[in-house]
Amino acid sequence: MLSKEEYNKTVWQLEHISREITGRYRKNFRSTLKRKIHEHDLSSTYPPFEPLPYIPYFVNRTTPEQTLHQLIEAATTTIEFTLDTESVNIYRTANKPVLIQLQILLPHNLSLVNVIEMCHLPPENHIRFKLLKQLFQIVFSEEKQVYIWGSTAELLSFITFKLFSYEQIDGINLINLQDQFKTYWNQQHIHKSNEENDICICESCLGKQPSETWSLQDSVALELHEYLSKVLTNQSFDIGLDPNLHHMSSSEKNHRQRLTTYALHDCLSMHKIIINMKNKNFQFSFEITKKIPYDLMESISSSDDEIMFSQLTPSIERLENDQTLNINEQEQLTSTSTCGNPNWKITSTNDKQLTSQ
Ligand SMILES: [Zn+2]
């Protein structure tokens, strides 16, 4: 939270951006200031996010085989998962994929949340690597349901780690929670005229456009009345979060604990939102995405604060057999340029000016 002085200064800065700052820099500066104010407004309005009971696991080269077997067993017996990823922003290059958070939903609202550290995996020929591959094989199989805040596109840059393939991502039974939440909100909050002095919280009265996607942070604020901090977005999630990875001082441990909590909370807040939606009998629908040629696919930022894949590529959505068909036009994907990694391509304009919040 900002001090009163810092807050006033930020508001003043936003209203008095120098004319010498122009173009992209002006947009970036504006969105940084706006985000700072938004973060402050939420943190001073709502109590911090509180997760339901869960058991966290670090998954990396130090994770015992026995633990991996237990996770595989839990994943086999359950149906539902939430998934999120974190990447590290590297200036003028593709985001570096570094974390996958995989939550295994269990009965009684309990869950196991895995923080899978991609930069600290066991070697490919190791039994632990094979067990981890098996875990993804189970989660991405057709009888499971995976909730993601957005599309599966954010997983594409993780293919290089060889834990799963493009075909497997393509086969995920995806529930795009970001889209589903928007539908849910519109069903729950139909516009009402202000006769009883009630404050209307329909999308339009909240100032959201019909085409605008919801950030996870805004959804947590309005649905759960809690503050989900996004201050640590794009931090160095690749430094090795598990205290077992290497010796750490207590301040290093504290810093890693904060990053870990941040990563866990994305899945845990999705879980709470799902429970709310289920309690109100919301009917979730799966998303079937038309295959997009892999070599045309863009590297997608994982942060829900950044522009979503659906916004980069205009999509045609229509309902058929109660399922949402999300057809991305191939022509929209052609303006790509090769990046250092031969396995995927990126757009040259995926920078901060495109942020949606
Ligand atoms: Zn309204």
Side-chain angles (χ1 to χ4, degrees):
M1 210 187 287
L2 304 169
S3 70
K4 204 176 172 201
E5 214 170 60
E6 286 170 321
Y7 182 78
N8 290 340
K9 190 184 160 199
T10 313
V11 172
W12 189 90
Q13 277 181 309
L14 184 64
E15 287 163 357
H16 300 85
I17 298 177
S18 162
R19 280 196 197 135
E20 282 161 32
I21 304 171
T22 55
R24 190 155 65 96
Y25 296 102
R26 190 179 186 85
K27 271 190 177 174
N28 288 351
F29 189 52
R30 259 185 79 84
S31 78
T32 305
L33 293 174
K34 275 178 137 176
R35 203 176 315 175
K36 219 168 149 183
I37 293 167
H38 189 56
E39 196 80 34
H40 175 87
D41 289 343
L42 293 177
S43 67
S44 47
T45 307
Y46 301 104
F49 170 75
E50 282 292 339
L52 294 164
Y54 69 97
I55 304 167
Y57 291 89
F58 287 109
V59 177
N60 53 52
R61 62 172 184 268
T62 69
T63 312
E65 269 172 53
Q66 199 195 347
T67 306
L68 294 171
H69 280 295
Q70 284 164 354
L71 293 172
I72 286 169
E73 202 181 312
T76 307
T77 51
T78 199
I79 300 288
E80 294 181 304
F81 304 84
T82 74
L83 187 147
D84 188 40
T85 64
E86 301 300 331
S87 297
V88 176
N89 263 0
I90 299 168
Y91 184 62
R92 284 186 184 279
T93 176
N95 286 350
K96 179 185 169 193
V98 294
L99 281 192
I100 294 181
Q101 302 99 288
L102 174 69
Q103 183 184 26
I104 304 173
L105 304 186
L106 299 175
H108 309 294
N109 297 336
L110 182 69
S111 69
L112 314 178
V113 197
N114 305 289
V115 175
I116 306 167
E117 303 196 72
M118 308 310 283
C119 300
H120 305 275
L121 292 174
E124 244 178 86
N125 54 2
H126 200 282
I127 178 71
R128 290 176 188 177
F129 189 90
K130 286 168 187 162
L131 289 170
L132 204 42
K133 258 177 110 165
Q134 197 186 333
L135 178 64
F136 278 107
Q137 202 172 3
I138 293 161
V139 177
F140 293 169
S141 66
E142 60 181 347
E143 64 269 24
K144 308 295 185 188
Q145 297 170 6
V146 183
Y147 295 88
I148 298 179
W149 198 263
S151 74
T152 53
E154 66 184 73
L155 280 169
L156 290 167
S157 57
F158 286 83
I159 291 171
T160 44
F161 298 104
K162 297 183 180 167
L163 286 173
F164 46 80
S165 65
Y166 172 66
E167 286 71 26
Q168 279 178 286
I169 295 176
D170 211 40
I172 293 175
N173 245 331
L174 168 70
I175 297 177
N176 182 335
L177 192 58
Q178 188 176 41
D179 285 352
Q180 299 283 292
F181 181 80
K182 189 179 175 74
T183 307
Y184 163 79
W185 189 267
N186 287 331
Q187 285 174 3
Q188 294 289 323
H189 303 283
I190 296 161
H191 177 73
K192 53 184 175 194
S193 54
N194 206 359
E195 280 167 7
E196 302 114 39
N197 266 352
D198 276 351
I199 297 165
C200 182
I201 48 170
C202 78
E203 265 200 333
S204 159
C205 290
L206 288 173
K208 285 205 188 288
Q209 302 298 318
S211 61
E212 201 177 330
T213 52
W214 282 69
S215 71
L216 182 57
Q217 187 182 48
D218 283 353
S219 309
V220 168
L222 285 154
E223 178 66 25
L224 305 176
H225 310 291
E226 290 179 316
Y227 162 57
L228 181 71
S229 172
K230 283 285 162 190
V231 174
L232 296 174
T233 301
N234 290 322
Q235 290 280 315
S236 306
F237 289 99
D238 54 343
I239 53 176
L241 303 177
D242 185 353
N244 289 328
L245 278 168
H246 38 79
H247 180 74
M248 294 169 194
S249 69
S250 63
S251 76
E252 285 172 330
K253 267 187 195 163
N254 284 341
H255 176 59
R256 282 160 178 79
Q257 185 53 53
R258 287 180 64 219
L259 291 175
T260 306
T261 303
Y262 173 94
L264 292 168
H265 278 189
D266 277 350
C267 282
L268 290 161
S269 59
M270 279 198 274
H271 185 204
K272 265 180 113 170
I273 287 174
I274 293 164
I275 291 169
N276 268 23
M277 291 166 80
K278 283 185 176 173
N279 285 343
K280 289 183 179 153
N281 295 319
F282 180 78
Q283 297 294 314
F284 289 92
S285 60
F286 293 99
E287 191 153 300
I288 298 170
T289 308
K290 189 183 154 191
K291 282 193 179 186
I292 299 162
Y294 179 39
D295 58 353
L296 289 175
M297 187 53 76
E298 302 175 52
S299 169
I300 306 302
S301 162
S302 70
S303 163
D304 55 78
D305 284 337
E306 291 190 43
I307 193 157
M308 289 298 148
F309 182 67
S310 57
Q311 288 166 280
L312 281 169
T313 56
S315 61
I316 302 161
E317 288 189 4
R318 63 196 165 93
L319 287 169
E320 197 175 273
N321 303 329
D322 294 320
Q323 289 176 321
T324 306
L325 290 181
N326 190 350
I327 302 166
N328 293 295
E329 289 299 297
Q330 190 178 314
E331 299 82 70
Q332 308 294 334
L333 284 160
T334 49
S335 63
T336 56
S337 66
T338 325
C339 89
N341 189 320
N343 291 320
W344 81 86
K345 294 183 173 187
I346 57 157
T347 54
S348 52
T349 55
N350 187 15
D351 62 40
K352 280 281 178 189
Q353 64 171 317
L354 294 166
T355 52
S356 59
Q357 289 291 313

